Amino acid sequence: MDEDLIEDLLREKFSKFSKTCSVIIMKNNDGKSRGFGFVNFESSEDAQKAMQAMQGALLGSKHLYVKHFNSNVDDKILQKPFSLYGHLTSAKVISYA
C-alpha cells in the first residue's frame, strides 16, 4: 500500500477521537515505510483516548500498537540499557509537554 495512502488512512481512523495535529509514516532512504509512524493530537487526553481505542486495531495487514515511556524516563535513563551493547551515537526521548 502507498505510504501516502497509509498516512491518509491513519488520519481518518485517528480523527474519530479528536483533531490530529500531524500524522507521519517514517520512511527509509528509498522512501519505503519503516513500519512505524506517529500521530499527534492537540492534548494528551485525546492521545490517551485514541491509544486505548486503537490498540490492536487492524490497519491493512498490520495490527496497531502504541508504546510509550513513563514520564520519568529521560535521555540518560534511555541510554543506560542500550549502552551495554556498544557505543551509542544518540538516544533521545521526545516529549510533547
Side-chain angles (χ1 to χ4, degrees):
M1 184 180 268
D2 182 292
E3 281 79 13
D4 291 333
L5 292 176
I6 296 170
E7 284 182 6
D8 291 342
L9 184 56
L10 279 174
R11 186 174 291 105
E12 177 186 323
K13 295 271 187 192
F14 280 91
S15 292
K16 294 176 183 176
F17 304 100
S18 181
K19 181 182 177 195
T20 58
C21 296
S22 63
V23 176
I24 187 166
I25 300 293
M26 301 308 293
K27 300 171 185 164
N28 64 20
N29 291 338
D30 297 329
K32 300 290 183 188
S33 172
R34 293 178 58 196
F36 68 96
F38 301 95
V39 178
N40 292 305
F41 291 93
E42 291 181 336
S43 75
S44 59
E45 292 84 12
D46 291 338
Q48 186 70 30
K49 182 172 55 172
M51 284 188 332
Q52 290 172 349
M54 295 299 288
Q55 183 75 19
L58 189 62
L59 181 69
S61 63
K62 302 212 181 245
H63 287 275
L64 301 178
Y65 63 92
V66 181
K67 299 287 184 182
H68 54 72
F69 296 120
N70 285 329
S71 59
N72 67 337
V73 174
D74 61 13
D75 295 347
K76 195 173 205 170
I77 292 172
L78 179 64
Q79 289 175 1
K80 198 173 197 173
F82 291 100
S83 66
L84 298 173
Y85 300 98
H87 176 74
L88 291 178
T89 56
S90 68
K92 180 79 176 149
V93 175
I94 299 172
S95 175
Y96 299 96

